[in-house]
Amino acid sequence: MSEMPLRDINDLERLKKINAALLSRVERSMDQQGNAFSLFQTAISLENRVRNRTEELHATLRRLEQSNIDLVAAKETAELANLSKTRFLAAASHDVLQPLNAAHLSVSALAEVQTSEEGRKLVRQVERSLETMEDLLRTLLDISKLDAGVVQPEIVDISLETLFSSLRSDFLPEAEKKGLSLKFRPVNVVVRTDRTLLRRILQNILSNALRYTRSGGVLVGTRHRGDTIRIDVADTGCGIAEDQREAVFEEFHRGTATLSDAGLAGGLGLGLAIVRRMAAALGHPVTFSSKVGRGTIFHIDVPVGMAAEPVAAVADMERPRGYGLFGTKVLLVENDVDVLSAMTSLLERWQCQVRAATSTDDALDLLGDTAWMPDIVIADQHLDGGDLGTATIADVRDYLGRPVPALIVTADGSELVAKAARAAGIELMRKPLKPAQLRALLAHLLA
């Protein structure tokens, strides 16, 4: 619009239009300024928000850093506590089982000299009480070790037929005593597992099956399921109620209602608790199906192995032999006075000639008599002065210049000791000893 002097404008309508146009321009200008101001205020608000959020983020990061520091400290504390627990368990296994081992050996020696039926009966009662105590202590120690993560499975290929043969030898007398059948279906298969842990799992399940079965029996069989072998242990016992399915795996649970209905005596209620822990350590799922009054089937899924296992006469070694040890020269290395005395007494009852030592130096001193050379060495693993039985046996063999048969007898259940013994070609037995098994193994080593 072209500008003209105000005095030249005399048309009222035209003047109104010019005024409206001017007002519109002013309003537009004010709106633009208002928007700019609003944007400025918004920017300031956003900046404040960003600053506040940044400060909150920094504070959160500082808290996270402190939490991480606290977690690391807690982890270190837990690891130290776990290490302390591990050391305690190792010490407890050795120290608790040592006197029990001495008692076993002493009672066995006492049984040898009994002439009256009353004396033999009392000895058998003491032996049964000691075996019950041993089972309880071993199970409690095993549960503690599994919970502490101390037990590290040694996964190898094993023959199920060899394992079944050994279990049949162990449990058949108990089944026959109760008038029950115990059958193992023949199986020609190798599985990949820890030999000792799988054996303990099956031992506990079989023990429960026989305990809670009044008539009929127990059947052990296998099924091939892809790359897995399912081991089934079926019994015709009292069964497990639906509301007890989880409780049976808890410590000291014995299913008292079912037991009273069946007229059966329960155990300590630890068998299935340790089954679950061992199975978890191995990664072998354990499940079961059951009907009250009709029986239970436990299932253990084990990976198929890759190679055949050399068959060892494990079951034969565990059964007492009929021939004696007359005149066998035994070098016994043991630092516990009570165990040393009991073991010496027992070996002498078997007509062995025993020379005893408490350390490596003592053992080597005894070998200075060239007229007396040991036929076998029996040593505890942990001796006086920090000596180890495996090292003592190695020194004795070096001194004699020949690989004399040797046996480590120890309450130390660690895999480290087992590996050291295997590497040196030394047999291993755990305390407390079963005298009949000891005698059978000595006869086997000397045969």
Side-chain angles (χ1 to χ4, degrees):
M1 167 183 199
S2 60
E3 294 184 2
M4 65 177 62
L6 222 56
R7 62 178 178 272
D8 294 337
I9 302 175
N10 50 20
D11 186 347
L12 185 59
E13 289 301 319
R14 189 176 180 186
L15 187 61
K16 286 180 179 179
K17 287 179 181 179
I18 292 170
N19 185 51
L22 289 171
L23 285 172
S24 175
R25 181 179 292 180
V26 169
E27 286 174 354
R28 283 199 304 273
S29 176
M30 289 181 67
D31 285 345
Q32 289 172 356
Q33 291 176 5
N35 287 339
F37 182 71
S38 176
L39 287 171
F40 178 69
Q41 283 186 316
T42 301
I44 291 174
S45 176
L46 286 173
E47 183 182 2
N48 287 333
R49 288 182 185 177
V50 169
R51 185 182 297 111
N52 290 337
R53 294 294 183 271
T54 302
E55 290 176 355
E56 289 175 4
L57 182 59
H58 281 307
T60 301
L61 287 172
R62 285 193 295 271
R63 286 196 299 271
L64 282 172
E65 287 174 359
Q66 186 59 47
S67 295
N68 285 336
I69 292 170
D70 293 342
L71 283 172
V72 169
K75 182 174 179 289
E76 290 175 352
T77 302
E79 287 174 348
L80 287 172
N82 192 46
L83 181 60
S84 297
K85 185 174 182 180
T86 301
R87 288 172 176 166
F88 167 76
L89 289 170
S93 299
H94 187 269
D95 295 343
V96 171
L97 296 176
Q98 279 285 73
L100 191 58
N101 181 58
H104 263 299
L105 296 172
S106 297
V107 168
S108 183
L110 183 63
E112 297 277 346
V113 298
Q114 294 303 310
T115 55
S116 68
E117 182 56 36
E118 183 65 21
R120 286 190 288 270
K121 181 180 177 182
L122 289 172
V123 167
R124 285 195 296 270
Q125 288 176 352
V126 175
E127 284 179 333
R128 283 195 295 271
S129 297
L130 288 173
E131 286 172 1
T132 301
M133 188 187 305
E134 178 192 342
D135 288 342
L136 175 59
L137 283 173
R138 280 196 181 282
T139 303
L140 290 174
L141 287 169
D142 285 344
I143 286 176
S144 298
K145 288 177 182 178
L146 288 164
D147 287 346
V150 177
V151 176
Q152 297 298 323
E154 183 185 1
I155 305 300
V156 296
D157 290 332
I158 71 164
S159 163
L160 268 190
E161 184 58 43
T162 302
L163 177 59
F164 283 2
S165 176
S166 175
L167 290 169
R168 184 189 299 109
S169 173
D170 285 350
F171 285 96
L172 192 57
E174 181 181 344
E176 290 176 342
K177 184 178 178 181
K178 294 186 66 175
L180 302 173
S181 67
L182 175 62
K183 296 180 180 178
F184 288 77
R185 285 182 178 153
V187 57
N188 182 24
V189 69
V190 172
V191 294
R192 191 154 183 80
T193 184
D194 180 287
R195 183 194 312 274
T196 303
L197 292 182
L198 181 61
R199 193 178 200 281
R200 288 292 303 279
I201 288 171
L202 292 172
Q203 277 179 320
N204 287 347
I205 293 175
L206 281 166
S207 180
N208 265 21
L210 291 172
R211 177 179 295 120
Y212 297 131
T213 299
R214 186 165 52 181
S215 62
V218 178
L219 173 65
V220 182
T222 60
R223 285 181 285 168
H224 208 125
R225 300 163 60 92
D227 58 355
T228 300
I229 295 294
R230 168 163 284 188
I231 303 172
D232 294 324
V233 181
D235 66 58
T236 56
C238 55
I240 299 169
E242 188 66 28
D243 61 355
Q244 301 290 306
R245 292 187 67 87
E246 281 302 311
V248 294
F249 289 104
E250 297 173 1
E251 296 91 337
F252 303 108
H253 180 86
R254 298 187 295 175
T256 51
T258 308
L259 286 171
S260 60
D261 293 342
L264 300 168
L268 296 165
L270 290 170
L272 294 182
I274 197 153
V275 161
R276 168 166 282 185
R277 285 167 168 83
M278 287 182 173
L282 289 170
H284 297 349
V286 173
T287 55
F288 69 87
S289 55
S290 184
K291 289 186 179 180
V292 175
R294 295 185 62 181
T296 303
I297 306 176
F298 273 89
H299 316 285
I300 308 101
D301 294 330
V302 187
V304 175
M306 299 297 293
E309 179 204 37
V311 178
V314 177
D316 289 340
M317 280 172 49
E318 290 181 352
R319 287 195 294 268
R321 306 268 181 157
Y323 44 85
L325 301 168
F326 181 83
T328 299
K329 299 182 181 69
V330 180
L331 175 58
L332 177 62
V333 191
E334 170 65 67
N335 65 324
D336 185 287
V337 175
D338 292 334
V339 174
L340 184 66
S341 175
M343 180 75 93
T344 301
S345 177
L346 182 64
L347 291 169
E348 288 178 345
R349 291 296 308 171
W350 294 343
Q351 307 300 313
C352 295
Q353 298 177 22
V354 182
R355 291 200 176 183
T358 60
S359 67
T360 302
D361 289 341
D362 286 348
L364 294 176
D365 287 343
L366 291 174
L367 299 179
D369 181 1
T370 56
W372 192 91
M373 291 290 106
D375 299 309
I376 192 166
V377 182
I378 302 175
D380 188 7
Q381 176 64 358
H382 300 287
L383 303 167
D384 285 349
D387 287 352
L388 296 178
T390 46
T392 301
I393 290 170
D395 288 345
V396 168
R397 284 173 167 176
D398 286 343
Y399 184 93
L400 296 175
R402 62 186 179 88
V404 60
L407 168 66
I408 287 289
V409 177
T410 181
D412 185 344
S414 69
E415 185 57 29
L416 188 65
V417 175
K419 285 182 178 178
R422 281 196 299 270
I426 301 170
E427 294 293 333
L428 178 70
M429 290 190 77
R430 307 289 190 192
K431 294 178 180 178
L433 290 177
K434 297 290 192 300
Q437 291 182 5
L438 172 63
R439 183 170 177 170
L441 181 56
L442 294 179
H444 171 80
L445 292 174
L446 293 165

